[in-house]
Amino acid sequence: MSRFFDLVSKPVRNMGGYSPGVPLQTVTPQVQQKLIKLDSNENPFGPSPRAVEAMGRALAISSAYPDDDCAQLRHKLAEHHALQPEQVMVTAGSTALLGLLCQTLLAPGLNAVTSQRSFIVYSLAVSATGASLIETPMANDVFDLNAIRDAIDEKTRIVFLANPNNPTGTLVDVGIVDNFLARIPGHVILVLDEAYYEFAMHFSSLRGTTHSKSLDYVRQGASIVVLRTFSKAHGLAGLRIGYGLGPPELLAYCARMRNTFSVSSVAQAAAMAAIDDQGHIRRVVTNNADQAIVLTDALSKFGCRVVQTSTNFLYCDLGEGASIVARRLQDEGVSVRPLRAWGAPNCIRVTIGTPEQNQFFLGAVCKIVGHNRAEQIALNSNRT
Ligand SMILES: *Cc1c(COP(=O)(O)O)cnc(C)c1O
């Protein structure tokens, strides 16, 4: 402990680590084969077959360094979003861009603001710079942008808004974001994290709502960086590729800070092909919306409170200690995320899987929670 502790930088000393879901490599092969992983919001259908094919071709020439600038992909993304290529920056996952934005904009004495119960990486990326993260309370499981505005001071450089949010799955109303952006001081950059964009977009089209005007803000040149990723709807989480859309000058500063050749050629090839397979995305988001209803209905019948989702997971209040339930679910062969570390000890986050995976999960919940509930009812009736 003491050999290097005094040598490492102060932010490193003060930082905690990230605890991921169950990494498949760490469980035994027998469990690995059977474990249904609903703990990391991964795509249950995997990547597009076209992306897999493109990766095969890229593998054969992987002795060559990748294009550091991801020019081809940036141009394709610019066209896809009707933006200029200079407004696009590709990174090794969108979390890498979170790190770059923090390194570029923050330093000890400065701060960033976000909501409590949001994406854990904001806190890691901020503390790595020695700056502080202010976390405001939520209002009804949604970001409270009034509280965030009140928390902004002259030392604030970044506001993180996960929209929809992880782990609550909730969306901030588009009018409220509009309003917030119009009143944000000039020294603050809004990072609008839209990792679940494709799912949110599909839900909003079903619900007849507008879920985001983020690209309009980018086109207007607002002080905003929109984050998107290939990890979720595109099913490429293991490849590490995502991107940001924002002001060219700011993205160019971030580009100075990035590691050389950080986005692999295989990832770039996969992303190019994944964009072209909109049929795969459609299949993914359609299953997700259908299954969100199935899971929400069933969990509600078990007496759980399920928050309306705009993502590929559900935020669910079990009304009892979620860590124990999660452990028992894992014994049954399905892993979900208990949210004690988010200050929600009775809540889990469960990824929406294939119909078969979801039925398996519900069967396990029935066995565990259903049994507990039956016991409770029996106890109460004995008392009366
Ligand atoms: C999953 C997720 C991301 C994506 O991270 P990658 O680094 O692109 O895999 C970003 N933000 C939020 C809120 C997420 O849940």
Side-chain angles (χ1 to χ4, degrees), residues 16-28:
Y18 173 71
S19 74
V22 185
L24 270 188
Q25 295 83 345
T26 62
V27 291
T28 62

Side-chain angles (χ1 to χ4, degrees), residues 104-355:
T104 304
L105 291 162
L106 299 176
L110 298 175
N111 70 62
V113 184
T114 192
S115 171
Q116 286 172 349
R117 209 161 296 174
S118 187
F119 193 37
I120 219 91
V121 175
Y122 304 147
S123 138
L124 296 174
V126 170
S127 41
T129 69
S132 51
L133 181 66
I134 300 167
E135 295 176 285
T136 60
M138 288 205 142
N140 301 319
D141 303 310
V142 183
F143 269 60
D144 180 350
L145 294 193
N146 288 330
I148 289 189
R149 199 176 47 237
D150 291 345
I152 291 174
D153 60 29
E154 66 282 6
K155 302 289 189 192
T156 305
R157 292 293 176 273
I158 301 177
V159 167
F160 297 105
L161 171 52
N163 207 35
N165 183 43
N166 175 6
T168 56
T170 48
L171 207 55
V172 179
D173 186 81
V174 73
I176 295 178
V177 178
D178 259 356
N179 229 309
F180 179 74
L181 198 59
R183 289 200 257 155
I184 200 171
H187 61 275
V188 176
I189 285 132
L190 176 63
V191 174
L192 198 53
D193 185 344
E194 296 190 332
Y196 301 96
Y197 177 78
E198 293 81 3
F199 300 103
M201 167 106 151
H202 184 67
F203 277 116
S204 69
S205 74
L206 294 176
R207 291 166 188 161
T209 54
T210 304
H211 99 274
S212 174
K213 296 203 289 187
S214 56
L215 296 189
D216 293 341
Y217 307 141
V218 175
R219 286 184 201 110
Q220 289 154 11
S223 292
I224 184 170
V225 177
V226 177
L227 299 188
R228 301 275 177 90
T229 182
F230 288 96
S231 296
K232 305 281 158 61
H234 301 84
L236 297 172
L239 283 196
R240 313 306 307 126
I241 186 159
Y243 57 100
L245 307 167
E249 185 192 353
L250 178 61
L251 295 183
Y253 286 128
C254 290
R256 293 181 184 181
M257 303 297 284
R258 75 181 161 199
N259 290 331
T260 320
F261 302 131
S262 53
V263 184
S264 79
S265 50
V266 179
Q268 291 184 40
M272 295 280 295
I275 297 170
D276 286 335
D277 195 350
Q278 290 299 314
H280 186 67
I281 305 276
R282 237 182 341 265
R283 174 161 166 250
V284 168
V285 298
T286 307
N287 170 77
N288 187 73
D290 292 346
Q291 289 297 305
I293 296 173
V294 172
L295 281 175
T296 302
D297 286 353
L299 288 167
S300 304
K301 286 205 184 94
F302 288 126
C304 306
R305 184 179 70 94
V306 184
V307 173
Q308 187 184 58
T309 188
S310 294
T311 61
N312 66 344
F313 58 84
L314 296 180
Y315 177 77
C316 177
D317 189 337
L318 304 174
E320 63 181 289
S323 300
I324 296 168
V325 173
R327 208 169 324 127
R328 290 170 72 180
L329 282 171
Q330 188 162 323
D331 293 340
E332 295 294 327
V334 53
S335 66
V336 301
R337 189 70 70 100
L339 300 174
R340 175 183 288 281
W342 281 260
N346 287 349
C347 298
I348 57 164
R349 188 193 69 193
V350 55
T351 306
I352 298 165
T354 62

Side-chain angles (χ1 to χ4, degrees), residues 36-49:
I36 295 176
K37 262 176 93 341
L38 301 180
D39 62 5
S40 295
N41 305 339
E42 290 150 341
N43 190 326
F45 295 106
S48 145

